[in-house]
């Protein structure tokens, strides 16, 4: 069945910013008549927090956000990513890179030092080649996008020096699944989309429709995130949390209990009501 998806990383519990994105993804999928699938992007094992996955699942459930089908995990899809990597190698689209971060410091665009290193070598990352093709797509919230990867990032890493597959490759393969037809996620991930579209195009995978919604900012103007100290969402007040998120998403929630409110939101969701600008959110005193 055609689907949208929500793909948190199990590096900590949901906070208000991630709940806001999950709710938007859930409502958008249902409004489009799609299934809503849940995938854990858990490839970066050292950053995964014990118990975070179960806490995220619990938070989604108590807020009435029920996913369709089994929970998926990138750590269980390594064969798919390896197959994609081999396909890119056969197309002569990869090379091995021994450049250290220190050597590349101050170079936002990869300068191409290792482009001739085709054969596998130890202690090396694998990069995918880019060219001067302009990548264009229309984002349902941010509008028309046009990017040349050779002018913004250059050849980028798809398998890390320390072993794991990189986020860009894994996400391109997962979201290039023909059943994933719509990806709604935060505006902070918009810059990743051209890289993922590049990989999808090289692998002959269909691209989903994208919608990058604004992120929530704290009082300091920083994105609400684990890195900026965002506290875990309070699962003891799901109704209040949903009302806050719905308001931030451009809806005016009525005074209903949790389950009727979720159904009301499904019916009244309109992506066009979502602002395309990041929004500040100050949590109420607990």
């Amino acid at each position: 069945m055609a689907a949208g998806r929500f793909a948190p990383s199990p590096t900590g519990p949901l906070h208000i910013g991630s709940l806001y994105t999950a709710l938007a993804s859930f409502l958008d999928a249902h409004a489009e008549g799609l299934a809503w699938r849940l995938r854990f992007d858990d490839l970066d094992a050292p950053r995964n927090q014990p118990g975070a996955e179960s806490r995220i699942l619990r938070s989604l459930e108590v807020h009435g956000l029920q996913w369709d089908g089994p929970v998926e995990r990138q750590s269980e899809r390594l064969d798919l990513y390896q197959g994609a990597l081999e396909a890119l190698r056969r197309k002569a689209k990869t090379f091995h890179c021994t450049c250290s971060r220190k050597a590349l410091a101050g170079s936002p665009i990869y300068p191409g030092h290792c482009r001739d290193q085709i054969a596998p070598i130890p202690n090396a990352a694998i990069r995918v080649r880019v060219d001067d093709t302009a990548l264009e797509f229309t984002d349902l919230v941010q509008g028309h996008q046009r990017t040349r990867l050779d002018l913004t990032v250059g050849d980028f890493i798809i398998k890390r020096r320390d072993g794991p597959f990189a986020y860009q490759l894994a996400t391109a393969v997962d979201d290039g699944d023909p059943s994933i037809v719509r990806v709604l996620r935060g505006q902070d991930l918009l810059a990743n989309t051209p890289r993922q579209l590049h990989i999808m195009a090289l692998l002959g995978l269909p691209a989903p429709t994208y919608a990058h919604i604004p992120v929530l900012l704290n009082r300091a103007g920083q994105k609400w995130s684990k890195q900026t100290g965002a506290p875990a969402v309070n699962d003891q007040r799901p109704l209040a949390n949903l009302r806050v998120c719905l308001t931030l998403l451009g809806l005016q929630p009525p005074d209903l209990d949790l389950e009727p409110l979720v159904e009301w939101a499904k019916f009244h969701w309109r992506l066009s009501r979502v602002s395309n600008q990041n929004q500040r959110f100050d949590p109420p005193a607990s």
Side-chain angles (χ1 to χ4, degrees):
M1 180 178 179
R5 58 57 161 189
F6 177 57
S9 297
T11 54
L14 290 185
H15 51 76
I16 191 66
S18 47
L19 178 64
Y20 158 88
T21 304
L23 176 61
S25 174
F26 172 86
L27 295 177
D28 189 66
H30 282 277
E32 294 296 315
L34 305 174
W36 188 61
R37 284 162 48 181
L38 178 62
R39 182 184 79 225
F40 281 103
D41 288 1
D42 60 349
L43 289 180
D44 197 350
R47 294 185 62 236
N48 295 340
Q49 188 180 102
E53 180 177 313
S54 60
R55 289 190 67 180
I56 290 171
L57 295 174
R58 174 62 179 161
S59 290
L60 293 174
E61 287 177 333
V62 301
H63 287 87
L65 308 184
Q66 182 58 53
W67 56 93
D68 297 301
V71 174
E72 300 172 353
R73 297 169 184 84
Q74 287 190 328
S75 59
E76 298 171 350
R77 299 167 62 84
L78 301 183
D79 288 348
L80 290 176
Y81 310 144
Q82 185 63 39
L85 182 63
E86 293 300 329
L88 293 172
R89 281 175 172 162
R90 290 194 296 271
K91 293 174 181 285
K93 297 299 183 180
T94 64
F95 61 91
H96 291 73
C97 178
T98 55
C99 297
S100 66
R101 290 185 180 180
K102 182 178 180 180
L104 296 176
S107 300
I109 302 174
Y110 177 70
H113 293 323
C114 299
R115 273 193 145 209
D116 293 334
Q117 295 182 159
I118 307 301
I121 53 177
N123 195 29
I126 299 176
R127 292 181 182 268
V128 65
R129 300 177 187 275
V130 304
D131 55 30
D132 61 0
T133 301
L135 289 164
E136 300 187 58
F137 68 100
T138 299
D139 186 89
L140 297 179
V141 176
Q142 305 301 327
H144 182 258
Q145 306 291 314
R146 185 180 189 276
T147 303
R148 275 183 51 183
L149 292 174
D150 62 317
L151 300 179
T152 55
V153 294
D155 308 318
F156 57 93
I157 291 174
I158 55 174
K159 195 168 193 293
R160 292 170 18 184
R161 182 193 299 260
D162 58 348
F165 294 101
Y167 167 79
Q168 305 295 354
L169 176 67
T171 301
V173 171
D174 291 340
D175 291 345
D177 182 321
S179 67
I180 300 297
V181 299
R182 200 165 172 102
V183 169
L184 185 151
R185 57 188 179 184
Q187 184 177 347
D188 56 316
L189 296 174
L190 181 60
N192 289 322
T193 303
R195 281 174 268 189
Q196 292 161 19
L197 288 172
H198 177 62
I199 294 173
M200 290 176 189
L202 291 177
L203 294 172
L205 301 176
T209 298
Y210 289 96
H212 289 83
I213 65 171
V215 298
L216 301 188
L217 306 178
N218 61 21
R219 293 176 184 175
Q222 303 167 311
K223 176 195 169 189
W224 276 85
S225 69
K226 303 176 186 74
Q227 289 74 25
T228 58
V233 69
N234 187 347
D235 287 343
Q236 301 303 311
R237 41 175 291 166
L239 183 57
N241 295 334
L242 281 185
R243 292 180 64 83
V244 165
C245 290
L246 289 171
T247 301
L248 290 166
L249 289 167
L251 294 170
Q252 297 180 335
D255 187 12
L256 296 171
D257 289 335
L258 185 74
E259 290 188 14
L261 182 60
V262 171
E263 292 304 313
W264 176 91
K266 288 180 185 178
F267 182 78
H268 288 87
W269 169 260
R270 301 290 186 276
L271 185 58
S272 59
R273 292 176 177 160
V274 178
S275 169
N276 64 359
Q277 299 296 316
N278 294 337
Q279 303 183 68
R280 289 183 183 269
F281 169 69
D282 292 329
S286 49

